[in-house]
Structures are given as C-alpha cells and as structure tokens.
Amino acid sequence: MALLIQNTYQFKFDPAAKMPFTDVNESMASYEAIQAMTQQGITLGVSETTFGPSMNMNRYSFSVFLARAENPLLFK
C-alpha cells in the first residue's frame, strides 16, 4: 500500500531523517515510501513507534490513506 501511494503521488521527503517506527527497516522495499508518507502526515502508524507493516489493512484504513494523500489537511 505504501509503495502504491508513494509511486502515485511522489511525496518529497528527507531520506536522512530518522524513521520513527521500530518495525520498519532499511532493507524493506517500502522503507522510503513509509518514510515519505510519515513525513507528509499521511500515516501515523499503529502507535508512535510501530507502523505494522505485516498487519492486514482494511478498506477503512486504505481509504484514510488515500484521503490524506489527496488532501493532507482533511483530518487536521
């Protein structure tokens, strides 16, 4: 999901910034996508330190990601 959204929207991000999620590591294909979406406020993770990359995603969560990608101010 993170790769799909990042490839579509091409969010700018700082690759040198610290990843806040302990369950996301640099060897993951989606690492930069998750980093970009976190920096842009599109994802908040399942907690302050956990993203949950192996968790199943429901339609509600995916819809929120898409809505935030289209309009980051929507939920602020």
Side-chain angles (χ1 to χ4, degrees), residues 15-41:
K18 183 180 182 313
M19 173 64 74
F21 306 122
T22 58
D23 59 348
V24 177
N25 61 61
E26 290 184 33
S27 66
M28 297 172 65
S30 58
Y31 180 84
E32 289 184 350
I34 294 169
Q35 190 175 35
M37 290 175 52
T38 301
Q39 289 178 18
Q40 295 297 323

Side-chain angles (χ1 to χ4, degrees):
M1 177 282 314
L3 282 172
L4 171 70
I5 291 176
Q6 177 60 11
N7 286 339
T8 301
Y9 292 94
Q10 298 292 302
F11 296 112
K12 295 182 194 278
F13 68 101
D14 177 4
K18 183 180 182 313
M19 173 64 74
F21 306 122
T22 58
D23 59 348
V24 177
N25 61 61
E26 290 184 33
S27 66
M28 297 172 65
S30 58
Y31 180 84
E32 289 184 350
I34 294 169
Q35 190 175 35
M37 290 175 52
T38 301
Q39 289 178 18
Q40 295 297 323
I42 295 165
T43 184
L44 306 174
V46 294
S47 76
E48 287 184 17
T49 59
T50 306
F51 180 74
S54 61
M55 294 176 62
N56 291 329
M57 177 174 280
N58 58 34
R59 288 179 287 189
Y60 167 79
S61 297
F62 190 73
S63 297
V64 171
F65 278 115
L66 287 177
R68 285 183 179 152
E70 280 292 317
N71 183 357
L73 302 176
L74 186 63
F75 295 102
K76 292 190 180 201

